Structures are given as structure tokens and as C-alpha cells.
Amino acid sequence: MCRAPSLLKTRAWRWGLRLLLQVVILAGVVAAPARADIIVLKNGRRITATTVTEENGRVSYETRAGRLTLPGSIVERIERGGPTFIDSAADQAAQLPLTLPPAEALVGYDEVARAAVHDASIDRNYIAKLEENARGGAAAAVTRVAVAHQAAAQFELGRGDTDHALAHYRRALTFSPAQPILLLNTAYLHLRRSEYSASLDYLERARRVAPESADVAKLAGWAYYGLNKLDQAVEEWKRAQRLRPDPDVARALEKAKRDQQAESSFREGESSHFVLRYNGSAAPGLARDVLRTLEDHFRAIESELNFTPAEPIGVILYTEQVFADITRAPAWVGALNDGRIRVPVQGLTAVPPELSRVLKHELTHSFIQQKTRGRCPVWLQEGVAQWMEGQRSSETADLLVSAYERKAAMPLAAMERSWMRMPGEVALYAYAWSLGVVEYLVATYGMRDLERLLDRVAIEPSTEAATRSGLRMDYPELEQQTAKYLRRTYLR
Ligand SMILES: [Zn+2]
């Protein structure tokens, strides 16, 4: 049967990686995205693949190991260009686009907003005056304060500063604690930062004032999904659909129902930072071992990144899928970390070193996702995750350097967003190059500065702005310094 080829760290694997990098680099690294398709098997498995063709009753598709072929009789259908895997928390499963009641819905918006934010800055004196006038509690004065803070929050959001945006909403809520627009916007910002419990507090308050709001139900579903409370997520999204049908909610609901069904027979385990689900047939000993391993990694990453995730992290063990090291696999059946860590474990009774590495890699994604409030670009996510699991560039340095010197290196700017449409071999190159950059950063500046860079990424308008202010380097400079570092360290 087809499954992603094992990527255990064998010599054959290293050799294969080098070969692939060579091919990619000789080809000049084309970043043109390839469309990924999904082959759905009759047994329900889904295989993400590129270049899928059907011929003579057989379905074949591209993998790193070459072209694989399946008998057409086991294939249910092929979904063309569908959503695909990514080994990164950057692609959250339940993120929903949101159209909230526009800020302008607040009475007298325009005039007050213009006075509160002008000449590219917030007029704090003006807002202070409005607050002074609102102390008496007159309704009109209180609304003006809400409008002013709403405008200021939007301004901060435009600069990518969710911290200050949230501060404005919280301040506005002290004057107008039951204003649904303020409550929904505050809840939404917390969701964007993966702060699900905080978000639910505001949603509960919003529900008390607006019990029939579809937006409240939509966001509450997202929060519960993030907290791994599937039953409540499904309930909220169903409610949202009854109140106001919405295609985005329909998609999220369908996914949550699929997960719910798949996990209905799962058992649960829990430790201080994790909620673990696994199929009943898994050895409970394995589940305990996985939790112990995760807790060890949690403590290590917590101190390296100087950060503690606020929410428990969901982990799902798939006992029907054979374990393979897929942290660098560009195509896999499901997401490895789409907000929850999903790990295939068939046939294991304890945690082998390869699985331990995979867990540390995926757990790092969860930390970074929360530390950067979901704003970390993929290259930095994957670079840090690989570094944390213990990968170094010794095997790939010469190819990365030669690509750079022949001006065939992929610019970091092209590696910020989802890699899921990259052809497999280009993604492998992207992993190697990302690791090189992070390794250079840690070797030169130390973990403390890297960790502070992640904090900057959370608040600066772009990652390149964060490297400029934190490291005094733009992307081209960072690429050049990385190539120099790799040459100096590995190619003497
Ligand atoms: Zn990863």
C-alpha cells in the first residue's frame, strides 16, 4: 500500500536529500507553486500528491521516492487542487474570516474617529478629554469614548500591533462594558492570537447582550475548536448556521464533524500541558510515554524560548497509520500540526528517539504559534523547529552555499507564506535553507536574541521589519551572512 516513504535519518535518506537538493539547485530553484491534489481512497484515507494522472485503470502520482502507482479499484475519487497538508502551525484549521458589524455602525463614528486618529498617530489628549467627559456616564459621551478607542484600535491593527489594539478595546470596555461590537472585536483578536479561553470570556459577555448573534456562535465555535472541545465547537457552529448560514462556517463545521467522528472511539489522557487523544487499540503505556516525552520537551522549549503557552496543547495519536518521520515531508495524509499535533504511531509500544524528535519539532511549532500570536513566517517556524529537534546543516551546507553563490537561493521573502503548494523537492530545499538561517542566527546572536526576535515578529508590521530592528539586517543581508556562516563552519 502506498504511504509516505519513511524519512528516518539513515544514510540513504541523507544521500537522497543531497541528491534532491542538487536537482533543485541545478534547476535554479523555481518557486512556481505546483498544484496539489488529494487522492481519496475507498477506505477513507487521503493522500496529498502532485501530478496525479489516471491511465489504464491506474492512478499514479509523484513522491520524493519517485512515481507511485495505485490500482484504480481502491481509489474513490481525486480532488483536484484541494487543500493540502502543511507541517506547520501556520495553517490553523479553524481560522474563519470574519465580517463583524463595521465600526461605523457606532453612532457618530466618522467625526470622532477623525479626531482620535489623524496625521498617522493617535491623539491621546483628545481621547483623554473624551474619557473625562464620559465619567458622568452620559450615554452619548460614553459612545464617543467607545468610538475613539475603536478607531485607535483599528489604527494599531493596521500597523500589526495587536497588543496595543487590545489595550484600546479593553479600555473602551471599561466605559461601555456591554457594547457587542467591542466585545466581538476583542474576542476576535484573542482568537487570532490563539488565546481561546480569554476569547471565550468576552464571547460569554457578548452573548448575554446579544443572545441571537450568529457572530458570537461562529467565534465561540472557533474558540472551542482551538481548545480541543469538539462537541461544543460543533454545537456552536450548528447554532451559527441556524441563525445565519455562512459557507465558511459550513466548511469548519464539516471538518469538526469529521474529526468528531474519527475520534469518537478515542480515549483521552491528560498531563499538565497536554490533552491527548488516541484510539483504544493503542497501548496505554505508549500514551503515557508520549505524554512524559512531551512534558520533558515542553520544559526544555519553555526555557529556550522563554515562553509558556497559555492554552493546553491538543495531541492526537493515530494508531492506524505507521510511524514515519514526516517533519520534512512535503506531502502527507493529514496536517501534522494544524493547531493540534497529530502523530501516526502504529506498531509502537514506547517512544523511539525518532518519534521523540518529531514530537519536539511539532511542539516547537505550537510554542512559536502562540509566542508570535500566529504571525511567524513559515521559514522562521520551520528553521526554529528543526533547530530545536537537533538538526544542523552539516549535510546540506555545501549545496546551500553553492546555490547562494550561483544566485539560485530562494529569497526568504518568498518563503514566508504557506509552503503547501511547493513541489516536494523545492520544499525540502526550503527546509534546509531555513535551518541554515536559524542556525546562523543562534550561532551568532544566541538563543536569547532569537527568542526576542520572535517577540518582535509578534508586534512589528513584518518579519523583515523585525529583523531590521532586532538584528540590524534586512533579508538580503541575512541571506548573505547565512551563506558566509555555512561556508566558514562547514566548508573548510
Ligand atoms: Zn515543521
Side-chain angles (χ1 to χ4, degrees), residues 301 304-305 360 364 383-390 392 447:
I301 302 171
E304 291 266 46
L305 294 186
K360 194 166 187 185
T364 304
V384 178
Q386 290 176 91
W387 194 91
M388 283 290 183
E389 54 150 311
R392 297 298 179 265
M447 206 50 181

Side-chain angles (χ1 to χ4, degrees), residues 86-89 326-328 336-337 361-362 365 381-383 385-386 389 431:
I86 185 106
D87 157 44
S88 160
I326 45 183
T327 49
R328 265 166 252 71
L336 277 180
N337 188 336
H361 179 112
E362 297 307 330
H365 282 317
Q381 268 277 11
E382 295 302 344
Q386 290 176 91
E389 54 150 311
Y431 277 107

Side-chain angles (χ1 to χ4, degrees), residues 393-471:
S393 302
S394 51
E395 300 290 327
T396 54
D398 55 345
L399 291 165
L400 294 173
V401 168
S402 88
Y404 182 80
E405 287 174 354
R406 284 185 293 110
K407 303 199 187 316
M410 196 186 289
L412 291 176
M415 295 163 60
E416 292 203 322
R417 291 174 192 271
S418 174
W419 296 359
M420 59 186 162
R421 305 266 157 159
M422 280 183 194
E425 55 277 20
V426 175
L428 272 182
Y429 162 82
Y431 277 107
W433 188 218
S434 299
L435 173 62
V437 175
V438 167
E439 191 182 324
Y440 156 70
L441 289 176
V442 178
T444 313
Y445 297 88
M447 206 50 181
R448 272 292 147 268
D449 279 17
L450 182 76
E451 174 265 296
R452 285 192 207 109
L453 175 65
L454 293 173
D455 286 338
R456 280 179 185 275
V457 167
I459 55 170
E460 296 268 4
S462 71
T463 301
E464 193 167 7
T467 64
R468 259 192 241 115
S469 64
L471 310 168

Side-chain angles (χ1 to χ4, degrees), residues 149-218:
H149 278 294
Q150 161 88 24
Q154 292 298 319
F155 173 75
E156 295 290 6
L157 276 182
R159 304 198 297 186
D161 188 341
T162 53
D163 269 347
H164 282 101
L166 269 174
H168 280 290
Y169 281 124
R170 275 195 292 264
R171 182 79 185 156
L173 282 165
T174 60
F175 288 86
S176 205
Q179 166 52 250
I181 293 177
L182 297 176
L183 290 167
L184 277 169
N185 275 302
T186 312
Y188 179 63
L189 283 188
H190 280 299
L191 285 176
R192 292 274 305 273
R193 293 156 55 121
S194 306
E195 292 159 356
Y196 307 113
S197 306
S199 176
L200 276 178
D201 290 344
Y202 290 98
L203 291 171
E204 274 157 27
R205 284 168 60 180
R207 180 160 282 164
R208 265 177 256 143
V209 224
E212 298 301 304
S213 161
D215 289 321
V216 171
K218 179 176 178 174

